[in-house]
Amino acid sequence: MLSDPMSEVFDLIEIRGLMTGGFTARGAWVARDRRLTHRLKFIAVARGRARLTAGGPEGTGGACRQLDLEPGDVAILNNRTWLEVRGGPEDEDPYEIDVEGATAFPVDEAGTDTLLGGHIVLNAIGEALLLHALPPVGHVRAATTTVPLRARLDQLLDEVACDRVGSAFAIRQHGQLLVLDMLRVHLGRAALPPGRLRVLTDERLHAAVALMHGEPGRAWKLETLARAASMSRTAFATRFREVAGTPPLTYLHQWRMLLAQRALREGDGHIGALAAELGYSSESAFSTAFRREVGEPPLRYRKRVREEGAGPGRRDRQGRDGSATGGLRGVS
């Protein structure tokens, strides 16, 4: 199976895009949410246009920003606490959309605006990785990218509106791919801060990073990694630190710890076997390194995350009502 370092990281952070609702509207309208509860939320314009304003807690940057969203555009909200979306003529008084009490009507009716919304679910590793790299409000423009955002939204909208057999499954899959599309666009054009996402998108370091991800348990030498990147040892070490924010072998150690956390969450293997697989000389050496990185011994970590995963919070990770979407609503 084809693989790459970025896909491996996405698997580790358990990224999932969940559709939580949508609506259609015509004329001048406004929709508000003053109590956003999810750290990463997205609003997509499948038909028509909209004007979005979003703000966040004081001191978090991007206190208030307005976006003009065209057909196929997506807004990504990072740690915002409120949003307002408007559509239709600006010189008319808008009516407020009550999504829960709205009345449905044909999605493709002339002059309608159709919006879909959802949030991105991450584990703790993913939050540390993505929330740091994404801006408070991101704008993914369908018209300026080769990524098929509009086609993806058309597929998603079709499944949401038609409610066919298997639609819930299809909506989840399209939601996942929509998140991937959005991140591809952002990672391809943004000036990312030093960190894991930036090093994964750096073409000059790609070969060396692929080696470390492909054989994390191998005792990699700096000279070998530099040779793979066609650079001198000094030039490689300098560039890697600038891009990743950490030296190459420290990056390797951190990658091993991420793999260890996944193995402990998902498997029941012996700690000694995991230590050997990840390149540690003994179970004791691995346990010491794990405790230093994560803050607790491996077995205690395994017990804790499994107890938390089985608790009441597990339902909320999958969607508050267990469904893929709150349904497409319309107002006339």
Side-chain angles (χ1 to χ4, degrees):
M1 178 180 294
L2 294 176
S3 185
D4 62 88
M6 183 66 78
S7 294
E8 293 169 351
V9 170
F10 282 175
D11 284 340
L12 276 178
I13 65 180
E14 299 175 356
I15 188 167
R16 299 197 307 280
L18 298 182
M19 299 303 305
T20 53
F23 61 84
T24 56
R26 61 186 167 204
W29 55 268
V30 61
R32 300 182 176 95
D33 191 337
R34 299 295 181 182
R35 295 181 298 173
L36 297 180
T37 56
H38 296 284
R39 300 289 297 276
L40 277 179
K41 184 174 178 65
F42 60 89
I43 305 293
V45 178
R47 299 284 190 279
R49 291 171 172 78
R51 301 177 297 280
L52 179 144
T53 307
E58 292 184 7
T60 60
C64 183
R65 183 179 176 191
Q66 180 172 314
L67 299 179
D68 291 322
L69 301 175
E70 301 290 325
D73 285 8
V74 181
I76 307 175
L77 309 182
N78 179 6
N79 198 27
R80 302 297 85 192
T81 56
W82 62 268
L83 69 83
E84 178 182 282
V85 192
R86 293 175 176 265
E90 295 188 53
D91 57 352
E92 295 181 10
D93 291 333
Y95 57 85
E96 186 143 1
I97 290 180
D98 177 9
V99 176
E100 295 300 324
T103 303
F105 70 92
V107 170
D108 289 320
E109 184 173 308
T112 63
D113 301 312
T114 303
L115 279 72
L116 298 170
H119 59 270
I120 302 172
V121 181
L122 305 165
N123 59 20
I125 299 170
E127 288 192 354
L129 184 68
L130 277 182
L131 297 182
H132 168 68
L134 293 175
V137 180
H139 187 182
V140 181
R141 301 176 187 271
T144 60
T145 176
T146 58
V147 175
L149 281 175
R150 293 194 65 174
R152 187 81 65 203
L153 287 173
D154 285 343
Q155 294 171 319
L156 189 53
L157 182 59
D158 181 61
E159 293 292 346
V160 172
C162 294
D163 194 25
R164 292 186 289 264
V165 173
S167 283
F169 175 80
I171 290 166
R172 287 194 295 271
Q173 303 309 307
H174 288 311
Q176 292 286 82
L177 292 172
L178 177 63
V179 170
L180 176 60
D181 289 339
M182 292 187 294
L183 292 176
R184 277 175 170 166
V185 173
H186 176 73
L187 295 176
R189 72 183 183 191
L192 296 172
R196 189 170 297 276
L197 283 183
R198 185 172 168 188
V199 78
L200 290 172
T201 59
D202 190 283
E203 292 185 2
R204 294 186 63 189
L205 298 176
H206 177 79
V209 172
L211 288 179
M212 289 187 280
H213 279 245
E215 296 183 72
R218 182 172 169 180
W220 291 106
K221 301 296 184 183
L222 202 57
E223 293 82 357
T224 307
L225 297 172
R227 193 179 308 118
S230 301
M231 301 169 68
S232 70
R233 185 179 185 277
T234 301
F236 172 75
T238 299
R239 180 171 182 83
F240 200 101
R241 182 188 285 271
E242 290 175 350
V243 173
T246 189
L249 298 185
T250 301
Y251 174 92
L252 174 61
H253 164 72
Q254 293 171 346
W255 176 243
R256 288 171 172 172
M257 291 296 101
L258 292 177
L259 293 175
Q261 290 174 64
R262 179 176 65 180
L264 291 167
R265 288 196 308 269
E266 299 178 354
D268 296 308
H270 191 274
I271 300 300
L274 177 59
E277 181 181 343
L278 293 177
Y280 291 88
S281 58
S282 67
E283 181 177 332
S284 175
F286 167 72
S287 296
T288 299
F290 189 91
R291 182 199 288 267
R292 186 181 300 117
E293 182 74 18
V294 181
E296 58 187 330
L299 289 177
R300 184 180 300 171
Y301 172 85
R302 173 186 278 169
K303 183 175 185 294
R304 177 179 61 80
V305 296
R306 292 189 178 186
E307 288 175 349
E308 291 174 355
R314 185 174 182 82
R315 182 167 173 262
D316 190 60
R317 290 181 61 199
Q318 297 175 349
R320 293 187 181 276
D321 60 359
S323 64
T325 175
L328 183 66
R329 298 283 187 172
V331 293
S332 56

